[in-house]
Amino acid sequence: MIDYEEVKLIFRDYLEDKKQRKTPERFAILEEIYGRNDHFDVEMLYLQMKNKNYHVSRATVYNTLDLLLESGLVVKHQFGNNVAKYERSYGYRQHDHLICSSCNKVYEFCDPRLQQITSMMGGILHFNVSAHSLTLQGKPVTDENGNCINCGKKPALS
């Protein structure tokens, strides 16, 4: 379980180090992100903030996400479409993603063999690998009624 106060302290120290303002809006965005357990895009985050009556602009959301990316508290993904997705990153183990090509739902998975491959390839090619990214995409398996066995919905035709 992540202690939000710890994340808040890291962000505050980062802002001080970079001589950036420590605004309530930036910390509200951080809290909103660390209150989530999913991948999100800028528009989703902006609308969620607006629905909770936070007075933030899209520019503030974008600028704060940039700061959170630089600080290592958020990671950005490009899952094959034009919309960047983000997720919190502090205190979370390395994982990879499988994206349903029908509904675009993101499934996370972790397999220790990938770390072994990463270490082995770094050794063979003489690199200290600092990060890796693996994204799988696929169509869902359906039941006898043609519904996705994961979410129960009819997959989109593609």
Side-chain angles (χ1 to χ4, degrees), residues 98-103 137-142 148 150 155-158:
L98 178 111
I99 292 66
C100 176
S101 60
S102 180
C103 68
Q137 295 182 344
K139 294 181 180 180
V141 174
T142 56
C148 173
N150 293 308
L157 299 175
S158 52

Side-chain angles (χ1 to χ4, degrees), residues 96-112:
D96 297 288
H97 302 95
L98 178 111
I99 292 66
C100 176
S101 60
S102 180
C103 68
N104 292 320
K105 181 172 178 177
V106 178
Y107 296 90
E108 294 182 351
F109 67 93
C110 182
D111 188 325

Side-chain angles (χ1 to χ4, degrees), residues 69-116:
L69 283 165
E70 292 169 13
S71 71
L73 293 172
V74 169
V75 66
K76 180 179 179 179
H77 301 286
Q78 206 64 51
F79 290 136
N81 57 19
N82 293 333
V83 178
K85 295 280 190 173
Y86 300 84
E87 68 178 323
R88 58 191 183 175
S89 59
Y90 181 76
Y92 291 90
R93 64 176 170 40
Q94 167 62 43
H95 62 273
D96 297 288
H97 302 95
L98 178 111
I99 292 66
C100 176
S101 60
S102 180
C103 68
N104 292 320
K105 181 172 178 177
V106 178
Y107 296 90
E108 294 182 351
F109 67 93
C110 182
D111 188 325
R113 294 173 296 180
L114 292 172
Q115 183 59 43
Q116 293 170 341

Side-chain angles (χ1 to χ4, degrees), residues 1 15 18-19 40-41 50 63 71 74 86 92 95 101 123-124 141:
M1 192 72 175
L15 292 173
K18 297 296 179 182
K19 299 189 180 5
F40 59 92
D41 61 44
K50 287 303 233 182
N63 292 336
S71 71
V74 169
Y86 300 84
Y92 291 90
H95 62 273
S101 60
I124 290 170
V141 174

Side-chain angles (χ1 to χ4, degrees), residues 8-151:
K8 190 173 160 181
L9 185 64
I10 291 167
F11 191 45
R12 189 201 73 208
D13 290 347
Y14 176 81
L15 292 173
E16 285 177 2
D17 185 53
K18 297 296 179 182
K19 299 189 180 5
Q20 296 286 324
R21 294 183 308 124
K22 298 180 291 289
T23 65
E25 293 82 7
R26 287 178 174 171
F27 286 97
I29 291 167
L30 176 70
E31 186 171 13
E32 195 64 38
I33 290 169
Y34 272 80
R36 306 178 69 98
N37 288 319
D38 61 351
H39 298 82
F40 59 92
D41 61 44
V42 173
E43 191 65 18
M44 289 169 79
L45 182 59
Y46 171 73
L47 291 174
Q48 190 171 6
M49 300 294 293
K50 287 303 233 182
N51 289 338
K52 291 185 177 181
N53 293 320
Y54 285 106
H55 299 289
V56 295
S57 67
R58 278 185 181 84
T60 299
V61 173
Y62 274 104
N63 292 336
T64 301
L65 276 172
D66 285 343
L67 292 168
L68 291 168
L69 283 165
E70 292 169 13
S71 71
L73 293 172
V74 169
V75 66
K76 180 179 179 179
H77 301 286
Q78 206 64 51
F79 290 136
N81 57 19
N82 293 333
V83 178
K85 295 280 190 173
Y86 300 84
E87 68 178 323
R88 58 191 183 175
S89 59
Y90 181 76
Y92 291 90
R93 64 176 170 40
Q94 167 62 43
H95 62 273
D96 297 288
H97 302 95
L98 178 111
I99 292 66
C100 176
S101 60
S102 180
C103 68
N104 292 320
K105 181 172 178 177
V106 178
Y107 296 90
E108 294 182 351
F109 67 93
C110 182
D111 188 325
R113 294 173 296 180
L114 292 172
Q115 183 59 43
Q116 293 170 341
I117 293 168
T118 301
S119 297
M120 180 182 68
M121 293 312 299
I124 290 170
L125 298 173
H126 309 289
F127 278 88
N128 293 318
V129 178
S130 58
H132 85 267
S133 175
L134 174 65
T135 303
L136 305 172
Q137 295 182 344
K139 294 181 180 180
V141 174
T142 56
D143 63 17
E144 63 278 355
N145 298 316
N147 295 321
C148 173
I149 64 168
N150 293 308
C151 70

